[in-house]
């Protein structure tokens, strides 16, 4: 075997081995086979979210909140994360924030309060990943959303798989 042929063979084999070592394409959609999640509790003051099955905490996450984290969301554009009892009402696989799970804000009380003040209560509150925008802002801006609850992209993949429609969401101050 000539020097050139040997070199070409060696380079070809290295390229083949490198191709074999590439990670496989992963999907953002996961499967979950653990206990059913029966409630989500969000503690805004601690910046923590807990997923429960009955009285057992299955998983906990550090979270980011709206850019005005203190107080209950009352009006569109106030930058606050709601407080109270809601439920999961939709799933968005095409979210700008990787994946997102909708929270049923505003509830009838939220709507009535905003109407009494001649304002719009807002909406589109989600638990979502960071996506490119949040990854760019975090960690310099701890609370950067418009009122949503944000986790990492990897964590929202897990959460998205664990939740079912109508799962209660309790958000504490």
């Amino acid at each position: 075997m000539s020097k050139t042929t040997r070199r070409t063979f060696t380079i070809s084999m290295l390229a083949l081995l490198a191709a074999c070592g590439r990670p496989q394409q992963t999907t953002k959609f996961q499967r979950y086979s653990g206990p059913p999640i029966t409630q989500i509790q969000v503690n805004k003051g601690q910046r923590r979210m807990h997923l429960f099955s009955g009285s057992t905490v299955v998983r906990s996450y550090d979270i980011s909140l709206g850019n005005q984290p203190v107080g209950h969301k009352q009006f569109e554009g106030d930058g606050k994360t709601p407080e109270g009892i809601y439920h999961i009402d939709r799933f968005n696989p095409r979210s700008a924030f990787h994946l997102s799970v909708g929270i049923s804000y505003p509830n009838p009380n939220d709507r009535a309060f905003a109407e009494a003040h001649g304002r719009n209560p807002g909406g589109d509150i989600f638990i979502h990943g960071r996506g490119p925008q949040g990854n760019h802002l975090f960690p310099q801006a701890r609370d950067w959303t418009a009122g949503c609850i944000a986790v990492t992209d990897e964590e929202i993949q897990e959460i998205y798989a664990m939740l079912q429609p109508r799962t209660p969401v309790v958000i504490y101050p």
Side-chain angles (χ1 to χ4, degrees), residues 152-168:
T152 69
D153 291 348
E154 293 78 18
E155 290 168 338
I156 193 58
Q157 288 176 186
E158 182 177 79
I159 293 164
Y160 194 93
M162 295 171 84
L163 298 181
Q164 296 294 316
R166 308 282 317 149
T167 302

Side-chain angles (χ1 to χ4, degrees), residues 120-156:
N120 182 330
D124 284 339
I125 300 298
F126 289 87
I127 300 168
H128 60 66
R130 291 186 189 146
Q133 179 184 355
N135 283 326
H136 174 73
L137 294 171
F138 190 86
Q140 296 83 6
R142 170 67 188 205
D143 295 316
W144 55 271
T145 76
C148 296
I149 298 162
V151 294
T152 69
D153 291 348
E154 293 78 18
E155 290 168 338
I156 193 58

Side-chain angles (χ1 to χ4, degrees), residues 73 76 90 105-106 120-125:
K73 182 168 193 61
E76 181 176 44
R90 61 201 181 279
Y105 176 88
N120 182 330
D124 284 339
I125 300 298

